Amino acid sequence: MDHGSAHQNFASSRGESWATPSPRGARLLAGAALAVLPLLAPLRADPAAPQALIDAAKKEGTLTLYTSTPTDDIQAMIDGFRGKYGISIQVWRSGSENVLQRAVTEASAKHYTADVMATNGPELEAMHREGVLQRTDSPHLKDLMPAAVRPHGEWVASCFHVFVQAYNTDAVRKDELPKTWDDLLKPQWKGRLGIETGDFDWFSAIASQLGEDKALQLFKQIAAKNGFSVREGHTLLTQLVASGEVPFALTVYSYKAEQLKRKGAPLDWITVGTPIALPNGLAVARNAPHPNAAALFFDYELSEEGQKIFVGRDFVPTNTKVDGPFAKVQLQPIDVARLLDESDKWEKLYGSTVGAGH
């Protein structure tokens, strides 16, 4: 995608078209929770009697999953769950914005299809505010990183997408690699930098590290002096690094970079500053047609067995009993609630600073 088309698509919904606006375009869906909805008793996977949940889930026999996780990665989790319990999973996959839009649209229409939502933290937090999720307990919650568990209990982070800086090893020498963000002001980076069009969440966290004024000034200077090739989609951006079309990308997910590197692509990655981590998680729909199968899947993904599947796909797990990438590295998780509250501000600032706006 060229720079112009990235501008055109920044505020548009990716994939299917829905009546509600794209949350990364405006975040209008996150404005208010539906306080009139009754509180539900939390779904509970009782560790003292798990067989009762398993039996009830097997009786339901199926569940429907709405997800933004790449197909190969979510399929690994589905295969593990289905192999263990014999429960089938119907999958609807799209961008995280579309998962949110579809969930809210269907809930408003009282059309209840989804059992489990698995997508990025900001979209899950928006679903919480819209009243389409229900609190779900699990014996594995006690094993998760504190940053993975939301106070309201309606969704939980099952992994982190860690932003790294990926480079093409044929196009960028190791002695050229930046040690600080200021290094990207050097003339050697002119025409060589790539960035993802919707990563204002990452930018807000960078601003908290550097200070807002410093971050805005610095990245405007980088954009003016050396430019950014703005691309839509983290997988695409990573592939463009591997192909050499984008020699150095600022906002790539570590798992995708590592997957391509392991397949032999001329790609490696570094981290500049404290790595920013985007929570990615799952939740059970408030009116899930198959609540027991949904709760069982929720448990499975958070369990050591499910988390090891994530590690096998180079994801960063949240269960502290499972070692994975960045196990000994301090991460800076994005505060998704604050991000939603300030999304309009950061979307506009990111667009005007790096050239990813309308």
Side-chain angles (χ1 to χ4, degrees):
M1 179 181 294
D2 61 22
H3 198 141
S5 57
H7 279 221
Q8 181 180 3
N9 288 324
F10 183 62
S12 65
S13 173
R14 302 172 198 170
E16 294 195 20
S17 176
W18 297 89
T20 47
S22 166
R24 292 200 183 274
R27 296 288 184 191
L28 295 179
L29 295 179
L34 302 180
V36 296
L37 289 175
L39 295 176
L40 301 181
L43 288 178
R44 191 175 301 275
D46 185 353
Q51 192 60 46
L53 176 66
I54 294 170
D55 291 344
K58 286 185 174 181
K59 186 175 181 179
E60 291 171 349
T62 187
L63 66 91
T64 297
L65 171 67
Y66 286 4
T67 186
S68 60
T69 304
T71 301
D72 289 348
D73 300 308
I74 195 61
Q75 191 62 49
M77 187 67 66
I78 289 170
D79 289 346
F81 177 78
R82 185 171 52 195
K84 183 169 187 175
Y85 297 113
I87 295 170
S88 65
I89 299 181
Q90 306 300 316
V91 178
W92 183 86
R93 185 191 173 278
S94 189
S96 56
E97 307 91 338
N98 290 340
V99 173
L100 168 59
Q101 292 168 358
R102 183 164 185 165
V104 173
T105 299
E106 291 187 346
S108 298
K110 294 182 169 46
H111 178 68
Y112 305 121
T113 300
D115 295 295
V116 177
M117 316 293 187
T119 190
N120 288 332
E123 282 73 20
L124 288 169
E125 187 68 13
M127 291 184 208
H128 154 68
R129 295 185 180 189
E130 289 297 315
V132 301
L133 306 178
Q134 64 174 300
R135 181 180 178 89
T136 306
D137 287 344
S138 167
H140 305 296
L141 293 179
K142 69 182 186 302
D143 300 324
L144 303 187
M145 302 174 186
V149 182
R150 303 301 300 158
H152 50 67
E154 290 194 355
W155 68 271
V156 63
S158 53
C159 66
F160 285 113
H161 291 337
V162 178
F163 289 97
V164 299
Q165 292 68 60
Y167 65 97
N168 184 286
T169 55
D170 293 335
V172 177
R173 302 189 313 272
K174 283 192 174 183
D175 61 3
E176 292 183 281
L177 293 172
K179 294 180 173 59
T180 68
W181 295 115
D182 296 80
D183 289 340
L184 295 180
L185 287 169
K186 295 178 180 179
Q188 70 196 44
W189 294 111
K190 188 173 183 63
R192 303 172 77 192
L193 302 176
I195 202 163
E196 208 278 334
T197 187
D199 282 340
F200 64 85
D201 44 10
W202 167 83
F203 190 62
S204 70
I206 291 294
S208 73
Q209 287 185 10
L210 302 180
E212 184 173 328
D213 292 341
K214 160 76 171 175
L216 292 174
Q217 181 181 21
L218 174 60
F219 280 86
K220 282 180 179 178
Q221 289 176 332
I222 296 170
K225 288 188 176 183
N226 294 327
F228 291 111
S229 177
V230 183
R231 306 301 180 117
E232 184 176 10
H234 296 96
T235 297
L236 172 63
L237 183 59
T238 314
Q239 291 169 340
L240 293 175
V241 173
S243 72
E245 185 173 337
V246 174
F248 187 89
L250 280 66
T251 55
V252 161
Y253 289 152
S254 64
Y255 78 88
K256 185 54 65 177
E258 196 61 30
Q259 287 175 359
L260 293 184
K261 175 183 174 181
R262 210 173 32 193
K263 290 179 180 178
L267 179 150
D268 208 342
W269 56 270
I270 60 172
T271 58
V272 178
T274 302
I276 306 300
L278 176 66
N280 182 280
L282 73 165
V284 176
R286 177 175 285 268
N287 292 285
H290 309 98
N292 295 292
L296 188 62
F297 184 81
F298 186 93
D299 268 359
Y300 180 78
E301 188 163 308
L302 299 180
S303 70
E304 291 182 62
E305 182 176 344
Q307 294 278 286
K308 286 177 181 177
I309 292 174
F310 272 151
V311 172
R313 304 294 303 175
D314 298 298
F315 282 53
V316 178
T318 58
N319 190 317
T320 58
K321 291 185 175 181
V322 178
D323 286 334
F326 298 93
K328 301 184 185 305
V329 177
Q330 180 183 358
L331 301 175
Q332 180 180 333
I334 292 172
D335 184 338
V336 295
R338 180 179 179 185
L339 178 67
L340 282 185
D341 292 338
E342 301 179 354
S343 61
D344 286 347
K345 167 188 171 179
W346 286 109
E347 183 182 20
K348 291 174 183 175
L349 287 176
Y350 180 70
S352 63
T353 300
V354 307
H358 305 287

